[in-house]
Amino acid sequence: MVQTTVVLPTYNEAENLPLMVDALIALPVNILVVDDGSPDGTGDIAEHLAAEHRGRISVMHRTEKSGLGTAYIAGFTQAISLGAEYIIQMDSDFSHQPKYIPDLIAKLEQGYDLVIGSRYAWGGGVDSSWGPYRKLLSWFANAVYVRVLLGIPVSDATGGYRIWRRETLIGMGLDRIHSNGYVFQVEMVYVAHRLGFKIAEIPIYFPDRARGQSKMGSGIVFEAAARVWQLIYRHHALNPQMRRTEVS
Ligand SMILES: Nc1nc2c(ncn2[C@@H]2O[C@H](COP(=O)(O)OP(=O)(O)OP(=O)(O)O)[C@@H](O)[C@H]2O)c(=O)[nH]1
Ligand SMILES: [Mg+2]
């Protein structure tokens, strides 16, 4: 059995985390929760769940809310050092549905280095409550703007439901990643692509969160659009010879 770890960043997900763990524990994966000192006690709940499912769940506590990007970098680094071969990243609010995990693993095993769960791949979709403007903006940002500018073979560059091979994350060198928030997701896929890693997508349906509160506003989309240019400047010269061979 290939050791697979799901990295779950949490900030005030007290309602969602126990349900998420219930769903994930039924799958052949370990869980690594990265909690940023959630005021609602998510960190304590994570510890109780870890005690209940000893050996399947570990928890990292950071003292303050420091953003999704740095939470993933910390979680990926820890998952690698704990020996994970496959590393899955997903939100804890059920917008990323655990039922797609077997599809992500199966696709990776067809010989890819990174697989992205895509809302804009054929057969995927977003919550039916999204209005036409929001839908069009998100589709355009991902499937056209970022895709064309960065030349990446991906229709959902900001999507955060992904599976990585350990060798991909090590080869990328996580110290090369500077962004937090939405752009973090874009920077990760761009660096992977410039280094020649093979990337695929599977379609996912993306429902809105049913419980708890959103931490990210939609205004961030415009800032992210500008920051894509910064990513080009920073990483366009990377090539497959520049892969790393060990964790730095
Ligand atoms: N550790 C950590 N987790 C975070 C932070 N910000 C957000 N998260 C988690 O990251 C995931 C995504 O955050 P959401 O608030 O759902 O952001 P979003 O999906 O863009 O917004 P919605 O679509 O409205 O849910 C959730 O599991 C959050 O709990 C943070 O600063 N630190
Ligand atoms: Mg969400």
Side-chain angles (χ1 to χ4, degrees):
M1 199 76 221
V2 181
Q3 191 181 322
T4 305
T5 297
V6 177
V7 179
L8 274 185
T10 56
Y11 189 77
N12 287 348
E13 301 290 0
E15 279 184 274
N16 282 309
L17 186 63
L19 301 170
M20 199 64 195
V21 164
D22 266 357
L24 292 176
I25 218 77
L27 297 163
V29 298
N30 293 329
I31 301 166
L32 172 59
V33 177
V34 185
D35 185 68
D36 278 4
S38 298
D40 75 348
T42 302
D44 294 336
I45 293 170
E47 287 297 341
H48 281 112
L49 292 163
E52 198 177 311
H53 303 281
R54 210 167 282 286
R56 297 282 307 278
I57 304 181
S58 42
V59 187
M60 296 176 76
H61 299 278
R62 306 196 305 167
T63 47
E64 57 186 54
K65 186 174 186 327
S66 313
L68 199 55
T70 65
Y72 272 128
I73 298 285
F76 291 162
T77 306
Q78 175 78 349
I80 288 167
S81 80
L82 294 174
E85 291 290 334
Y86 298 167
I87 295 143
I88 294 170
Q89 59 168 102
M90 66 192 294
D91 293 353
S92 318
D93 63 355
F94 285 94
S95 284
H96 298 150
Q97 301 182 81
K99 69 175 181 185
Y100 294 119
I101 284 179
D103 299 351
L104 286 168
I105 294 173
K107 193 75 187 179
L108 195 77
E109 291 186 335
Q110 286 175 16
Y112 294 99
D113 301 310
L114 157 64
V115 178
I116 298 181
S118 172
R119 298 164 289 181
Y120 304 113
W122 196 254
V126 295
D127 198 283
S128 51
S129 70
W130 285 30
Y133 173 72
R134 184 176 177 201
K135 247 187 205 160
L136 186 73
L137 178 66
S138 177
W139 169 81
F140 178 81
N142 283 282
V144 182
Y145 181 84
V146 177
R147 180 178 193 147
V148 170
L149 275 183
L150 299 184
I152 50 179
V154 166
S155 62
D156 195 353
T158 61
Y161 195 7
R162 302 175 172 184
I163 185 167
W164 303 84
R165 282 181 195 275
R166 161 192 191 84
E167 294 77 14
T168 312
L169 293 174
I170 292 173
M172 284 169 60
L174 294 174
D175 57 299
R176 284 187 170 125
I177 306 300
H178 297 283
S179 321
N180 225 334
Y182 281 115
V183 190
F184 167 77
Q185 312 292 4
V186 182
E187 186 170 23
M188 287 289 289
V189 65
Y190 185 48
V191 169
H193 175 68
R194 293 306 314 163
L195 292 169
F197 288 108
K198 280 181 69 183
I199 305 169
E201 294 186 309
I202 59 156
I204 61 160
Y205 175 70
F206 181 93
D208 283 342
R209 69 157 71 234
R211 288 167 295 272
Q213 272 178 357
S214 173
K215 285 105 214 164
M216 311 223 205
S218 55
I220 306 172
V221 171
F222 291 98
E223 190 196 328
R227 289 199 180 275
V228 170
W229 293 91
Q230 211 176 4
L231 296 183
I232 296 174
Y233 175 75
R234 203 183 279 154
H235 297 303
H236 72 277
L238 288 176
N239 65 61
Q241 278 70 50
M242 295 162 82
R243 290 184 189 180
R244 300 264 173 77
T245 50
E246 56 192 275
V247 182
S248 52

